[in-house]
Amino acid sequence: MARKETSENPGRLKQIRLAYTMTKKADPKVGLIVAAVGIVTFGVALAIGFLIDHPIYAGILGFLLAFLLMAIIFGRRAEKAAFGQMEGQPGAAAAVLNNIRRGWTVTPAVTANRNQDVVHRAVGRPGIVLVGEGNPNRLKGLLAAEKKKMARVVSDVAVTDIIVGDGEGQVPLKKLQTTLMKMPRVMPASQVTVINDRLRALGDLMSNMPIPKGPIPRNARMPRGR
């Protein structure tokens, strides 16, 4: 049983090794660059240590500084490689939103079409943010329809549109999380809870609404809510 838990929860070194392997596929020079940063940093610190006649202390400090810089450089290049692999893949924006810091409630794929254009919803103190990924022209219709649907229960809340992409007026995938975190907070946390409750109720209402199969007769009346 213990072996099974160990295999399901890899150690820190195994995670780093896996991250390095994945990063190297997209960035073959990552190992050389990180090693060069470490060697140069340690060498400079050691040289300064000999000049001030304290090579041991400078060597220890240089080693720690080199390790820190190597970790920072590797982290940035690993993040860049990960975003590069995700870009253009369906659901990439949802993956980024699900890793956002606390303070946001994310609902992936609140609406979509047959062409895999998808709109995700994030609710936080800055208000409601609809994030679309796919064809920008088709997303305009999806975003407008979702806004109209939400207006039934949250007409008094600001709604922001974001389309993920590299075009004009769009937000690159790698900057999506940062864009949301920088938005001004205009609502108290208590109001965010109320909005989430309303939107969940709207989802239940839409899912429970009796929708007839096939074409609707011209003279048919839609059932009234109780």
Side-chain angles (χ1 to χ4, degrees):
M1 186 67 179
R3 292 182 180 179
K4 185 177 181 180
E5 291 180 357
T6 303
S7 63
E8 290 178 353
N9 299 295
R12 185 66 176 174
L13 292 177
K14 188 174 182 179
Q15 291 179 350
I16 295 174
R17 189 161 56 247
L18 180 61
Y20 175 77
T21 302
M22 295 177 62
T23 303
K24 192 174 182 180
K25 292 180 180 179
D27 187 0
K29 295 182 180 180
V30 62
L32 294 175
I33 293 173
V34 171
V37 169
I39 292 172
V40 171
T41 303
F42 178 75
V44 171
L46 193 61
I48 294 175
F50 278 109
L51 289 175
I52 62 177
D53 200 24
H54 289 287
I56 295 178
Y57 295 114
I60 295 174
L61 180 61
F63 175 79
L64 295 175
L65 184 59
F67 182 81
L68 177 62
L69 290 178
M70 289 171 66
I72 292 174
I73 296 299
F74 174 72
R76 289 181 176 177
R77 298 187 79 92
E79 183 180 25
K80 183 179 179 181
F83 280 119
Q85 293 177 355
M86 285 194 299
E87 284 182 351
Q89 299 294 327
V96 174
L97 290 172
N98 282 328
N99 288 324
I100 203 168
R101 299 173 185 176
R102 62 181 181 179
W104 289 88
T105 300
V106 177
T107 306
V110 291
T111 185
N113 59 24
R114 297 178 180 178
N115 298 303
Q116 294 186 336
D117 303 309
V118 187
V119 174
H120 314 290
R121 185 179 67 224
V123 181
R125 292 187 61 184
I128 301 174
V129 181
L130 296 178
V131 180
E133 55 177 334
N135 183 281
N137 295 324
R138 293 192 297 260
L139 282 172
K140 292 179 181 179
L142 286 178
L143 290 167
E146 184 62 22
K147 277 185 176 182
K148 185 177 180 180
K149 184 178 74 173
M150 291 192 306
R152 303 174 185 177
V153 293
V154 288
S155 58
D156 56 337
V157 181
V159 180
T160 304
D161 293 350
I162 291 179
I163 295 180
V164 176
D166 296 321
E168 184 178 355
Q170 300 175 1
V171 176
L173 183 65
K174 61 183 179 182
K175 295 183 179 181
L176 177 59
Q177 189 174 114
T178 304
T179 299
L180 266 67
M181 297 303 298
K182 288 184 177 180
M183 294 178 65
R185 300 180 179 183
V186 297
M187 298 189 305
S190 57
Q191 188 176 356
V192 175
T193 302
V194 172
I195 292 171
N196 278 317
D197 291 341
R198 290 181 183 177
L199 290 172
R200 276 193 291 267
L202 176 64
D204 293 339
L205 177 64
M206 296 298 291
S207 61
N208 294 328
M209 182 177 295
I211 301 176
K213 297 180 180 180
I216 302 176
R218 293 183 180 180
N219 298 326
R221 294 182 180 181
M222 294 299 294
R224 296 181 180 179
R226 296 181 179 179

